[in-house]
Amino acid sequence: MSSTLLNLPTSTDFSSLSLEQKLDRLAEVAVKIGLGLQPGQEMLLTAPVDAMPLVRRITEHAYKVGALLVTTFYADDPAVLARYQYGPDAAFDYAPVWLHDAIATAFRGGAARMAIAGANPALLAKQDPAKVSRANVAMSKASKPAMELITRHEINWTIVACATPEWAKLVFPGEPESVAVPNLWEAIFRASRIDGDDPVAQWRAHGVELKQRVEMLNAKRYSALRFHSADGATDLTVGLADDHLWAGGGTTAGNGVYCQPNIPTEECFTTPHKDRVDGKVRASKPLSHQGTLIENIQVRFEAGKIVEVHATAGQDVLERLIRTDEGARSLGEVALVPHSSPISQSGLLFWNTLFDENAASHIALGQSYSTCLKGGTKMNDEELAKLGANSSLIHVDWMIGSGQVDVEGVRADGTSEPLMRAGEWV
Ligand code: ZN
Ligand code: ZN
């Protein structure tokens, strides 16, 4: 072994790397593994202003692999808040359709999409929930043409995270910013699996492992999953859509590019049948939705629809959310994540779906992924609905798995077998 090799960073001395070096690793994984950016491909990036150092690293890696052009849209939390404080009432039903149309045009023209998550999860917590909801509906409608290309995986896209001061202080309450921000960065680096010797190679191996799990689940052809906890708070049967397909660990987009849509990702997920969900379920973690924290959610489903909702905080936001449209009270996703995932083991609540959904098995209200149905990407809304796929302006994940929850795979003949015990794969 040469001395040069001995000097290479290893997992044990990851902590000795500078922040710049760690950001560079995250940027490389985001571009090469997350997005799978192709030479000559255009890239659109959205980011909080605090993410500028990471954006610059990502932009460098994008051009190194041959990006045609990188265009970044920055968002600034105080500017978002100013609209709620000083904007006219009509402002909350308006969204820049022209901008979203241009983004959709860029996607159709071959552009890839990367988002850096890092907004303050509690930014809008003290604002009028009716205004928040109206603004979200206006934005969802305006962005639908672009979002459809994302949910149908027509283009390669990915999301990575950046530690920002307000978010960090929420994850590490009581700590000053000077401690909370570095702590959140460390948590993001470890959860995003860039603390090994060769993060790009390790990500490829992680992708293969998830793919094997997906193939096992696809071979089983379960008709439903049953989640239940010993204390009886959760006993939920989630019927799976006819011709459902499990996904996880990366996907080949419609443009032929292989990408990992979420960094981190630990989940295997599929499309439930929108009319075949019954029983009660208790969320295992609080849900941060568009700036409001919804805590201790308990709901009951009947024939696929939520018929009863309880939450100890943010219940009005949750009720408003499920009234968004016809499909907002039905499920569009069910996902399995082992309790031993690095994010779950961190013991942290990130107040951010990108991380928290990868800490626990979850369900999502609203829009389903047509990629999770055989031939789904080529079907129209009517054909998708016939198979049980849900349609909505929203897609909101919430966590129901924990070390106390068991999962059964239910076959078409009604017999079942254990799939997860105490949150772990059997
Ligand atoms: Zn998910
Ligand atoms: Zn989801």
Side-chain angles (χ1 to χ4, degrees):
M1 193 182 289
S2 76
S3 58
T4 336
L5 274 177
L6 286 172
N7 289 337
L8 278 176
T10 67
S11 52
T12 48
D13 65 5
F14 177 76
S15 53
S16 70
L17 297 181
S18 69
L19 178 63
E20 280 292 287
Q21 288 170 309
K22 292 173 182 174
L23 288 181
D24 195 67
R25 282 187 173 203
L26 182 60
E28 185 178 5
V29 165
V31 170
K32 292 183 180 169
I33 297 290
L35 206 53
L37 190 69
Q38 298 297 297
Q41 195 176 21
E42 187 174 356
M43 174 176 159
L44 294 193
L45 180 58
T46 52
V49 284
D50 290 305
M52 206 178 272
L54 178 61
V55 167
R56 288 180 180 153
R57 293 287 168 179
I58 286 171
T59 305
E60 282 173 17
H61 278 285
Y63 283 122
K64 279 184 195 166
V65 303
L68 179 66
L69 180 69
V70 180
T71 302
T72 304
F73 297 93
Y74 283 104
D76 181 28
D77 282 354
V80 173
L81 216 46
R83 185 186 185 198
Y84 284 87
Q85 285 167 334
Y86 307 113
D89 189 67
F92 299 94
D93 298 314
Y94 180 79
V97 174
W98 56 271
L99 176 62
H100 293 288
D101 284 351
I103 291 170
T105 303
F107 291 168
R108 284 189 208 101
R113 162 89 165 98
M114 189 187 294
I116 300 180
N120 173 8
L123 182 69
L124 302 178
K126 294 195 178 81
Q127 304 306 313
D128 176 2
K131 284 184 177 172
V132 176
S133 165
R134 282 163 59 202
N136 285 336
V137 168
M139 218 274 286
S140 299
K141 280 183 182 157
S143 62
K144 202 171 186 230
M147 277 310 294
E148 261 174 10
L149 298 169
I150 300 276
T151 57
R152 285 177 181 259
H153 284 288
E154 291 293 337
I155 63 159
N156 49 325
W157 60 276
T158 197
I159 311 176
V160 289
C162 163
T164 56
E166 296 310 315
W167 180 23
K169 285 188 277 184
L170 203 60
V171 180
F172 298 97
E175 297 289 359
E177 192 177 312
S178 59
V179 173
V181 172
N183 278 355
L184 181 55
W185 265 130
E186 282 310 308
I188 289 171
F189 294 141
R190 293 188 191 280
S192 303
R193 294 176 180 263
I194 62 147
D195 56 342
D197 300 339
D198 185 348
V200 171
Q202 277 153 342
W203 258 99
R204 290 207 172 99
H206 176 53
V208 167
E209 209 180 296
L210 283 169
K211 270 282 163 291
Q212 286 167 347
R213 195 76 71 189
V214 161
E215 277 163 23
M216 179 276 287
L217 288 165
N218 276 332
K220 293 282 188 185
R221 303 312 312 157
Y222 292 128
S223 71
L225 301 180
R226 185 176 156 238
F227 296 82
H228 55 103
S229 62
D231 65 2
T234 291
D235 192 347
L236 183 73
T237 299
V238 179
L240 301 181
D242 303 333
D243 289 344
H244 69 271
L245 284 176
W246 286 85
T251 183
T252 302
N255 63 2
V257 180
Y258 191 75
C259 65
Q260 294 279 354
N262 289 182
I263 301 279
T265 186
E266 306 287 337
E267 62 172 344
C268 298
F269 61 101
T270 192
T271 297
H273 194 295
K274 64 183 172 64
D275 304 324
R276 297 180 194 155
V277 180
D278 287 279
K280 55 188 173 171
V281 60
R282 182 174 61 191
S284 54
K285 282 171 175 277
L287 166 64
S288 151
H289 176 66
Q290 313 274 17
T292 302
L293 304 171
I294 309 171
E295 297 181 65
N296 300 307
I297 303 173
Q298 271 185 290
V299 307
R300 196 162 61 79
F301 285 87
E302 252 177 45
K305 287 188 176 13
I306 291 181
V307 292
E308 225 179 288
V309 180
H310 298 284
T312 56
Q315 175 152 347
D316 51 339
V317 178
L318 184 59
E319 284 175 358
R320 228 173 261 279
L321 179 72
I322 66 173
R323 284 201 305 262
T324 306
D325 56 25
E326 179 68 25
R329 59 179 64 234
S330 303
L331 296 187
E333 178 191 344
V334 58
L336 297 173
V337 179
H339 189 55
S340 58
S341 86
I343 300 165
S344 179
Q345 291 309 301
S346 78
L348 293 171
L349 176 68
F350 284 85
W351 304 104
N352 180 307
T353 302
L354 178 62
F355 290 84
D356 292 325
E357 81 161 336
N358 283 301
S361 293
H362 56 272
I363 48 184
L365 292 172
Q367 182 64 36
S368 59
Y369 289 101
S370 52
T371 46
C372 289
L373 292 164
K374 281 181 196 164
T377 54
K378 291 186 177 66
M379 291 179 189
N380 60 32
D381 288 353
E382 212 172 294
E383 292 168 315
L384 290 168
K386 208 173 274 179
L387 292 178
N390 195 34
S391 160
S392 172
L393 286 172
I394 67 159
H395 178 98
V396 179
D397 299 274
W398 48 287
M399 312 316 130
I400 63 168
S402 74
Q404 280 78 51
V405 174
D406 292 343
V407 185
E408 318 293 319
V410 183
R411 303 182 192 91
D413 64 6
T415 61
S416 65
E417 62 182 345
L419 203 50
M420 287 181 130
R421 281 290 173 266
E424 298 303 325
W425 290 106
V426 171

